[in-house]
Amino acid sequence: MDYRDITVLYEDNHVLVAVKPQGVPSQSDVSGDADMLGLLKARIKEKYSKPGNVYLGLVHRLDRPTGGVMVFARTSKAAARLGEQIKDGTFGKKYLAVLTERPNEKHAQLVHYLLKDSSTNNVRVVPMTTEGAKKAVLEYNVMESREDDGLYLADVKLYTGRSHQIRVQMATIGCPIYGDIRYGKDQPYGHLALWSYDLSFVHPTTGKRMIFRVFPPEEYPWTIFNLERHIGIVRPSD
């Protein structure tokens, strides 16, 4: 993979918005595989013939199995301002998730405390008083059910950005995400059906509210749902 495989949705002197493919790390890790930050730095370096090191700030992350829209900062000032938006809640992130069980409530907010084991890269729910535990909050809404397939499409809004958060919290209430072989039982091996489809933030210099929405891949189980109706945009034709 090289940077030409990455879809860039928007770019100016301050921010770069791109779509992370599933299976690509947000930043370099022990695998040594090509990562979003490195690929986009290479893109900027070649496109603008920049000598030396290229600055690109990682504002937020997506877990490796999760794909979808991300924003990167092209200046340190932009990075700081976007970081403040994450802290004050004006930075919006929404995900689509295909659940393998129907939640008891169609719409609910989930609050858990999560602890990550760095040696295994596993995250688990623990009591609030556990040392190192971090509060995790999300809100989900089941938008469509496919009873014949036993699958349910949910919109998930994150209020905190913890590692594996959506996967762990949904599995904890008995509704693991399709394809999640780490936190779900008897899941099919394949792409995790979790996708960052909606990203919104205030542009760090213009003050304009920017919203980006992208479709997940055209593959099962996404294809059994009416995504255009739920996302509110039309899938681009080839």
Side-chain angles (χ1 to χ4, degrees), residues 185-196:
K185 290 183 178 180
D186 303 320
Q187 292 298 307
Y189 187 82
H191 283 154
L192 178 73
L194 180 62
W195 185 261
S196 171

Side-chain angles (χ1 to χ4, degrees), residues 97-114:
V98 178
L99 311 178
T100 54
E101 297 290 340
R102 179 197 291 274
N104 291 331
E105 297 177 86
K106 182 178 180 181
H107 174 260
Q109 184 179 90
L110 303 181
V111 180
H112 295 101
Y113 287 82
L114 306 183

Side-chain angles (χ1 to χ4, degrees), residues 1-235:
M1 170 176 284
D2 68 19
Y3 70 81
R4 297 172 187 84
D5 299 312
I6 304 298
T7 299
V8 173
L9 302 175
Y10 178 85
E11 181 183 7
D12 62 21
N13 292 332
H14 309 280
V15 297
L16 190 158
V17 180
V19 180
K20 185 181 93 65
Q22 291 178 287
V24 175
S26 293
Q27 63 184 136
S28 61
D29 59 18
V30 294
S31 71
D33 295 339
D35 64 279
M36 285 293 288
L37 195 61
L39 290 167
L40 292 174
K41 282 184 177 182
R43 179 183 188 275
I44 292 170
K45 188 177 182 68
E46 182 167 319
K47 182 177 179 180
Y48 300 105
S49 301
K50 285 187 172 289
N53 291 328
V54 170
Y55 177 84
L56 191 66
L58 185 69
V59 176
H60 63 117
R61 296 172 177 82
L62 291 178
D63 292 336
R64 183 167 182 156
T66 306
V69 61
M70 296 182 70
V71 60
F72 298 82
R74 292 203 53 198
T75 67
S76 58
K77 180 183 288 187
R81 290 180 176 174
L82 290 171
E84 285 301 315
Q85 292 181 45
I86 292 176
K87 291 179 182 178
D88 66 25
T90 55
F91 188 96
K93 293 183 286 184
K94 291 183 180 180
Y95 295 75
L96 292 174
V98 178
L99 311 178
T100 54
E101 297 290 340
R102 179 197 291 274
N104 291 331
E105 297 177 86
K106 182 178 180 181
H107 174 260
Q109 184 179 90
L110 303 181
V111 180
H112 295 101
Y113 287 82
L114 306 183
L115 184 66
K116 183 175 183 178
D117 184 338
S118 298
S119 64
T120 62
N121 198 34
N122 279 336
V123 178
R124 59 191 174 92
V125 172
V126 296
M128 179 177 64
T129 54
T130 303
E131 183 179 356
K134 294 182 178 181
K135 187 176 183 179
V137 184
L138 64 76
E139 185 176 342
Y140 75 83
N141 179 48
V142 178
M143 299 187 294
E144 187 177 344
S145 301
R146 290 293 181 181
E147 300 290 351
D148 290 346
D149 295 85
L151 298 176
Y152 308 89
L153 180 69
D155 176 277
V156 182
K157 182 178 180 179
L158 279 184
Y159 292 96
T160 55
R162 309 305 181 198
S163 182
H164 300 184
Q165 179 180 336
I166 299 174
R167 299 164 65 186
V168 174
Q169 288 193 270
M170 297 313 297
T172 297
I173 66 167
C175 303
I177 295 173
Y178 179 93
D180 194 348
I181 58 176
R182 183 187 293 263
Y183 297 108
K185 290 183 178 180
D186 303 320
Q187 292 298 307
Y189 187 82
H191 283 154
L192 178 73
L194 180 62
W195 185 261
S196 171
Y197 83 96
D198 185 297
L199 183 72
S200 61
F201 58 89
V202 176
H203 192 281
T205 59
T206 68
K208 179 182 178 181
R209 186 76 182 175
M210 307 191 77
I211 302 173
F212 298 91
R213 289 180 177 174
V214 293
F215 281 94
E218 286 196 78
E219 62 185 32
Y220 187 86
W222 300 114
T223 49
I224 68 174
F225 298 102
N226 188 349
L227 296 178
E228 290 190 356
R229 176 166 62 89
H230 300 305
I231 296 177
I233 58 175
V234 176
R235 187 185 288 276

